[in-house]
Amino acid sequence: MTKILVLNAGSSSLKFQLFAKETLQSLASGVIEQIGEETSHASLQFINSAGKSQQISQDLAIPEHKAAITTMSALLKESAIARDIRELAGIGHRVVHGGEDFHQPVLIDQKVLTTIEKLIPLAPLHNPANLAGIEVAMQQAPNTPQVAVFDTAFHQTIPAHSFLYALPFDLYERKKVRRYGFHGTSHHYVGKEAARFLGRPFDSLKIITLHLGNGASAAAIDRGRCQDTSMGMTPLEGLVMGTRSGDLDPAILFYLARESGMTLDEMDEMLNKKSGLKGICGENDMRTITERIKEGDEQAELALDIFCYRLKRYIGSYLAVLGGADCIVFTGGIGEHSSLVRQKACEGLEDLDISLDPTKNEASSTRARAIHHEQCKTQILVIPTNEELEIASQTKKLIASSPP
Ligand code: ADP
């Protein structure tokens, strides 16, 4: 009972990470990919008894999540990191959509399962996979406390004037059409880590968090409570992303339907998979885009400019929402590693007391760090995100407070 397992079940993948319960030190992490295809790939990286990092992997047919969890258990047993998943202190599950029902992580019982199921229409791609992961884990470790941590929960403090769209009000009442926001676990984690870095209480700070990965979102946090976020009813709204458009005029879709006969499914595919950075320059990976820019590729530069301009617009609007910010936090693969994106997003904001120190911005590191000019009031931080650690930490907290 000394370990906590974190599970992130997607439609065709299962990511998992094992933590020591007391220290929350990571002991092993793994992934099972291509679930449901002819050959699936399972791998586990762990620290062996000699204190060295070791990897084991396997290619085999894994038809569904039940088999995936069985394979995960076998890998953990083979590594001698966890002999039996029934002996874990707790299992934390990432759940994408908690609707308006979940404002914080919860211990999973039948009522919670029914509610997650009820929310499937709001997240038809994610919640069924998350639910499958939970159900199998509950069957295989029936006496182990299981916790659900929702991507949407941290954003449930957003006030109505910000979460409501200016649509007929009964769409909210009957169909729950509203902004929910996503990446909440990451925004919450890096917000708290920023406060820790600054040596100030989280609930005393105004923070703008920028989670820039393949998906990207911004959040405005006022003294520990989220006030606004850029993703909306779905993860399509807001910033420009790898393959997603982010904000656009909805009437473009009526125009395309009338003028080129595009169907709803084609538009869905275009906005989610063929737009964003990829739509502009044919490439969604920021590393490749940066390389292409160095070689003088103007289309790649245009994609970067559109990405950074949208980011700056959100920084500006959240400065207005919060009435200024104590700090701006960059995180996610792009936020943590692309000095070029950080530089372009902050460029020209000096009169707002936001200014990067170029040397600090260029220095590469995997640690939390400050990258602003020392005399600036608004601190600019790079904080590596760690959603799995946050889920493990929330799971630890809940199992400690639950009756045995
Ligand atoms: P996900 O949202 O899938 O978790 P990540 O947070 O890992 O994704 O972010 C992936 C993005 O981070 C990709 O666009 C990748 O190119 C970018 N990225 C990773 N490392 C660098 C780097 N050194 N410089 C620029 N971009 C980077």
Side-chain angles (χ1 to χ4, degrees), residues 15 183 211-216 242 277 284-288 290 331-339 341 385 387:
K15 292 189 193 144
H183 291 147
H211 176 108
L212 312 176
N214 285 312
L277 295 169
N284 57 288
D285 191 297
M286 191 54 88
R287 277 168 294 208
T288 316
T290 311
T331 195
I334 298 172
E336 289 166 36
H337 301 294
S338 175
S339 54
V341 166
T385 194
E387 287 157 292

Side-chain angles (χ1 to χ4, degrees), residues 202-217:
F202 183 43
D203 60 8
S204 72
L205 293 168
K206 297 181 194 180
I207 309 177
I208 297 173
T209 47
L210 306 167
H211 176 108
L212 312 176
N214 285 312
S217 66

Side-chain angles (χ1 to χ4, degrees), residues 3-7 16-19 28 69 72 76 85 88-93 137 391-392 395:
K3 292 170 188 133
I4 289 174
L5 179 69
V6 170
L7 289 184
F16 54 98
Q17 192 163 353
L18 197 69
F19 293 85
I69 289 190
M72 174 197 76
L76 288 170
I85 67 163
L88 296 168
I91 302 179
H93 297 266
I391 294 172
T395 302

Side-chain angles (χ1 to χ4, degrees), residues 95-99 102 150-156 180-185:
V95 180
V96 166
H97 220 304
F102 299 106
F150 301 90
D151 268 19
T152 49
F154 179 60
H155 302 306
Q156 277 298 300
Y180 292 96
F182 299 87
H183 291 147
T185 308

Side-chain angles (χ1 to χ4, degrees), residues 101-112:
D101 298 272
F102 299 106
H103 297 219
Q104 51 213 0
V106 286
L107 272 169
I108 301 173
D109 57 16
Q110 191 49 50
K111 191 160 159 251
V112 170

